[in-house]
Amino acid sequence: MVKLFWVSIVLGIVFTNLIDIDAYHINETELSLLEAHEASFSLVATNPHMVGITIIHSAAAKGAVCLDGTLPAYHFDRGHGSGANNWLVNLEGGGWCNNIRTCVYRKTSRHGSSKLMEKAIAFTGILSNNFHENPDFFNWNRVKIRYCDGASFTGDSKHKAAQLQFRGQRIWLAAMEELMSKGMRYANQALLSGCSAGGLATILHCDDFRDLFPRTTKVKCLSDGGLFLDAFDIAGGRTLRKFFNGVTTLQRVKKDLPQTCTNHLDPTSIQASLAPPKQDPHGTWRDCRLNHAKCNASQIEFLQGFRKQMLKVVRGFSRSNKNGLFINSCFAHCQSERQNTWFSDNSPVIGKKEIAVAVGDWYFDRTVVKDIDCPYPCDKSCNH
């Protein structure tokens, strides 16, 4: 598999999932907290660089469409100078839908229809065009592929009665073909990245991305907050195992998953969450979910158990010097795409190293990167 880099927010992953990912419990008349959080990215940087939307018209002939049948889209900022032949492709995140009801709701949002997507979005963090905000990748060709299929750019089916199109795999292929025609086929260096559902998509499509290029091209993959453990929740159940059974079955995802994964795990067992509201009927975890300072000692102990499990899971992965780790103990999500967590005066650090520096060191092989934070709440550099 292509070299991967985890920007895994140990407690950030947990708490974002606690609130947001259990989509079948959210009020369908409201955006999920995750989507609201992502929408706030553009407010982080001062005078952010805005990049317009491009519709993939060639996708129509391939049947590569969003949940509502509209054509997929991306945002593209052309590289220049020393970065003119280097490409950074970012896969947008934004949760999943696991049944007809939630997918019908999703197609009425920007995560299910290109008609509802912003006409321009802010390129901040790893997508910034400013050397002082993004020193290693600022002048690369930078692309953000919009997410509108609900299954991390995988799956290929439809539901005629509900007028739903599940074409994530086709969208991935159409987007890659479009970018290759725009010059990506000539890339000297390439990096696939994404956060949350986009981070999972990065893992799932990492080998596919590598196969697009000749062996002489330097290719790596950055998964930011895209590792979701199959852990027991607070009630002793596996909430998102049920959730992802819905996703994989409804959208026929299994055939698109890497065989290196499905040979060892059932496709519905890959991810999970810890404290969904349904498993917390008395609201014992509510304050802890919303404000980390209100977690009691036993709750912190439970979450520390999750941290230990995560470190155990990535132990084998971390043995290779080709793979990198930056695991901090911050209550944050999508740290590579936000300027204040990626590279700024008050960015989170591990040993005085910001995430942007760690990713650059890893990608360019400047040093081996295996940065793992001390247990929460020891890190005083976190942006909460």
Side-chain angles (χ1 to χ4, degrees):
M1 183 174 282
V2 180
K3 303 172 186 178
L4 283 170
F5 186 92
W6 304 114
V7 178
S8 295
I9 308 92
V10 174
L11 293 182
I13 284 177
V14 175
F15 272 72
T16 300
N17 287 349
L18 300 186
I19 303 168
D20 309 316
I21 305 242
D22 198 7
Y24 47 86
H25 294 305
I26 67 170
N27 184 333
E28 293 180 6
T29 65
E30 302 174 351
L31 285 175
S32 70
L33 294 179
L34 178 59
E35 291 182 346
H37 181 70
E38 289 176 341
S40 70
F41 289 171
S42 61
L43 304 179
V44 173
T46 303
N47 300 318
H49 179 49
M50 303 300 292
V51 179
I53 196 169
T54 299
I55 300 296
I56 308 177
H57 293 287
S58 62
K62 304 175 179 65
V65 293
C66 299
L67 286 171
D68 71 338
T70 55
L71 295 175
Y74 64 95
H75 301 255
F76 176 31
D77 198 30
R78 179 73 68 175
H80 59 87
S82 61
N85 289 324
N86 299 329
W87 287 73
L88 191 157
V89 178
N90 178 271
L91 302 177
E92 185 182 27
W96 305 267
C97 61
N98 73 313
N99 56 36
I100 297 302
R101 178 171 59 87
T102 54
C103 289
V104 166
Y105 169 67
R106 189 182 181 91
K107 77 173 183 177
T108 64
S109 76
R110 62 190 174 90
H111 282 148
S113 173
S114 60
K115 292 189 300 184
L116 302 174
M117 293 175 182
E118 304 90 333
K119 303 306 179 185
I121 62 173
F123 269 28
T124 60
I126 196 172
L127 291 171
S128 173
N129 69 336
N130 187 324
F131 170 80
H132 299 289
E133 297 176 349
N134 188 26
D136 282 313
F137 307 105
F138 76 99
N139 64 348
W140 284 32
N141 295 283
R142 286 155 292 108
V143 184
K144 189 175 194 73
I145 301 176
R146 301 305 296 269
Y147 177 37
C148 64
D149 63 89
S152 289
F153 296 90
T154 62
D156 189 4
S157 64
K158 65 180 179 180
H159 193 284
K160 188 175 181 179
Q163 297 182 323
L164 287 168
Q165 296 285 334
F166 304 120
R167 306 298 184 185
Q169 182 68 17
R170 296 190 191 192
I171 292 173
W172 160 262
L173 293 172
M176 292 302 104
E177 183 175 313
E178 172 96 346
L179 297 180
M180 294 297 273
S181 73
K182 297 288 185 180
M184 193 169 73
R185 68 176 71 250
Y186 305 114
N188 295 325
Q189 302 181 110
L191 176 62
L192 181 67
S193 74
C195 172
S196 194
L200 175 59
T202 297
I203 295 171
L204 298 179
H205 286 295
C206 188
D207 289 340
D208 297 335
F209 192 65
R210 163 71 270 184
D211 290 341
L212 293 173
F213 305 96
R215 306 312 298 180
T216 53
T217 303
K218 187 185 188 74
V219 181
K220 295 189 180 185
C221 303
L222 165 63
S223 177
D224 178 0
L227 177 62
F228 300 89
L229 301 186
D230 184 21
F232 287 105
D233 62 35
I234 55 175
R238 296 185 185 273
T239 299
L240 281 193
R241 186 177 283 197
K242 176 182 177 181
F243 179 89
F244 276 91
N245 180 61
V247 177
T248 56
T249 302
L250 181 65
Q251 302 213 30
R252 297 182 185 175
V253 167
K254 182 177 180 179
K255 63 182 181 298
D256 300 322
L257 299 178
Q259 288 189 353
T260 50
C261 295
T262 56
N263 286 344
H264 296 88
L265 287 173
D266 181 274
T268 64
S269 304
I270 293 174
Q271 306 179 31
S273 187
L274 296 183
K278 186 176 182 180
Q279 304 299 338
D280 186 30
H282 302 296
T284 306
W285 279 78
R286 183 180 181 278
D287 289 343
C288 179
R289 287 199 302 267
L290 297 177
N291 184 348
H292 60 280
K294 295 184 178 181
C295 297
N296 60 40
S298 63
Q299 288 169 331
I300 291 295
E301 183 179 359
F302 179 84
L303 295 175
Q304 294 298 5
F306 178 80
R307 175 183 185 271
K308 292 176 182 177
Q309 183 177 347
M310 172 178 280
L311 295 181
K312 181 178 179 181
V313 166
V314 301
R315 187 178 301 156
F317 170 86
S318 67
R319 290 194 182 103
S320 171
N321 287 340
K322 296 179 180 180
N323 298 331
L325 298 170
F326 188 97
I327 302 178
N328 63 16
S329 297
C330 298
F331 278 66
H333 200 47
C334 298
Q335 294 187 80
S336 64
E337 300 172 18
R338 300 181 62 191
Q339 197 57 55
N340 66 334
T341 48
W342 172 249
F343 193 68
S344 65
D345 291 341
N346 65 339
S347 291
V349 296
I350 298 179
K352 299 183 179 180
K353 182 186 295 184
E354 297 92 347
I355 296 171
V357 175
V359 171
D361 286 347
W362 159 77
Y363 184 86
F364 294 104
D365 301 311
R366 293 191 289 246
T367 184
V368 174
V369 179
K370 310 288 184 186
D371 298 321
I372 300 177
D373 212 349
C374 48
Y376 176 84
C378 68
D379 192 334
K380 306 303 181 184
S381 69
C382 295
N383 287 305
H384 297 312

